[in-house]
Amino acid sequence: MLQRCSRLATASLFTLLSLISASATMAAPPQASAELLLIIDDIGNNHRLGKRTVGLPGPLNLAFLPHTPYAAALAEDAFSAGHGILLHAPMANEKGARLGPGALTSGMDQASLQQTLTDNLAAIPHVQGMNNHMGSLLTQQSDAMRWVMQIAQQQGLFFVDSLTSPKSVALEQAKAAGIPALERDVFLDNDIRPQALHRQFGQALHLAKRRGYAVLIGHPYPETLDFLARELPALGIRNIRLTRIDEFLQQRLWQPLESPALAPSRYLLRTNGSSLQP
């Protein structure tokens, strides 16, 4: 009788442990999602397209051109919507294309460049970091990039190198200054045809799944916004989540950040024999 009771107790304990184990398995968190750090550049000149961008599912990382008509108000809206806020800092390019207000040029001395950059940052509420607008010339200049990173360091900002030139030293200077920094992996909309958008988006998702994250840069073109409105809600099914860059850097900065082979910059591409400008 005692032996039978012992067997029953053992069986009951085994059943209980099995149920606990099964429950723990069911409650285990899913495999970690790959992270897509999606930046939308060039916001501030067009209110309608800016509002459409802010209304996309996120969190996104929105980069605002300084001293443009709608940048400050749209940045407030973006902050309220939970998006990350960047200054899209205009920097000198090799093509001589017009930069707009707040331009950082290769002829500036340290005081002029840093004052202009400081004024640009002050024009964007809730700013957390910055990336370069154009900049294929200035990002090659070590002195200018060192001055930029000094301001980023003083204001506690991160930097994303848009990689508009394969000769950019921006990331190197950011690391030297101890600035949290990343490089762009993929440009989404060099070509706004549907098949091209799908190809570039797929490239970014593939990289994110392989490496754990990818930095994708797009622009508030109507075609791009239509595409993202369709594609972003389905990322969860692919086990990919949108992430703000500030949160990503806080969580992952201790890990080495791998840089893949350089993808072509939209500012280096040519269409019908002429350079593609923003």
Side-chain angles (χ1 to χ4, degrees):
M1 178 68 178
L2 188 59
Q3 186 177 6
R4 181 170 179 271
C5 289
S6 177
R7 286 200 304 269
L8 288 172
T10 301
S12 298
L13 180 60
F14 179 81
T15 301
L16 179 61
L17 290 173
S18 298
L19 289 172
I20 292 173
S21 176
S23 176
T25 301
M26 292 172 61
Q31 183 181 4
S33 298
E35 295 178 280
L36 183 63
L37 312 179
L38 175 55
I39 302 171
I40 306 296
D41 282 348
D42 295 352
I43 302 174
N45 279 313
N46 187 302
H47 186 262
R48 181 179 62 84
L49 295 177
K51 290 289 284 186
R52 282 193 63 193
T53 304
V54 170
L56 288 172
L60 307 178
N61 303 276
L62 306 188
F64 295 86
L65 290 164
H67 314 297
T68 50
Y70 308 107
L74 288 170
E76 291 284 2
D77 292 343
F79 178 77
S80 297
H83 300 307
I85 311 298
L86 289 79
L87 165 69
H88 197 35
M91 297 186 185
N93 61 87
E94 292 179 321
K95 304 294 183 183
R98 183 176 177 274
L99 292 170
L104 306 177
T105 65
S106 57
M108 286 180 164
D109 60 18
Q110 180 176 356
S112 298
L113 186 147
Q114 290 187 327
Q115 185 60 58
T116 300
L117 180 57
T118 299
D119 292 343
N120 290 348
L121 288 164
I124 308 299
H126 311 293
V127 67
Q128 301 161 317
M130 64 177 112
N131 69 342
N132 53 293
H133 171 55
M134 301 193 199
S136 57
L137 177 61
L138 199 72
T139 59
Q140 297 182 47
Q141 300 178 354
S142 295
D143 284 346
M145 289 300 98
R146 184 169 64 254
W147 301 338
V148 167
M149 300 313 161
Q150 287 172 357
I151 298 300
Q153 185 181 53
Q154 291 170 14
Q155 300 203 16
L157 305 173
F158 63 79
F159 187 87
V160 178
D161 186 356
S162 301
L163 274 181
T164 55
S165 168
K167 299 177 183 178
S168 173
V169 297
L171 187 67
E172 172 188 330
Q173 289 299 324
K175 289 179 176 179
I179 303 302
L182 293 166
E183 291 180 329
R184 180 270 308 164
D185 294 314
V186 179
F187 274 125
L188 174 61
D189 45 11
N190 292 331
D191 183 339
I192 57 174
R193 291 175 297 178
Q195 63 270 32
L197 292 170
H198 277 285
R199 181 182 64 248
Q200 295 300 104
F201 194 67
Q203 180 183 343
L205 299 191
H206 176 77
L207 175 59
K209 287 196 169 187
R210 178 179 68 81
R211 191 180 60 184
Y213 75 97
V215 180
L216 175 65
I217 294 182
H219 302 82
Y221 307 143
E223 297 84 353
T224 299
L225 298 179
D226 289 344
F227 174 83
L228 291 174
R230 292 191 303 269
E231 296 295 326
L232 294 183
L235 286 179
I237 299 173
R238 302 181 177 188
N239 203 31
I240 294 176
R241 63 188 176 93
L242 294 165
T243 303
R244 278 177 24 181
I245 292 171
D246 62 316
E247 295 176 349
F248 173 84
L249 289 169
Q250 289 167 13
Q251 296 165 4
R252 301 275 301 267
L253 189 59
W254 61 273
Q255 298 181 2
L257 298 181
E258 173 194 348
S259 294
L262 180 67
S265 158
R266 69 191 292 262
Y267 305 109
L268 301 179
L269 294 179
R270 293 182 175 274
T271 303
N272 298 326
S274 61
S275 62
L276 178 65
Q277 297 295 346

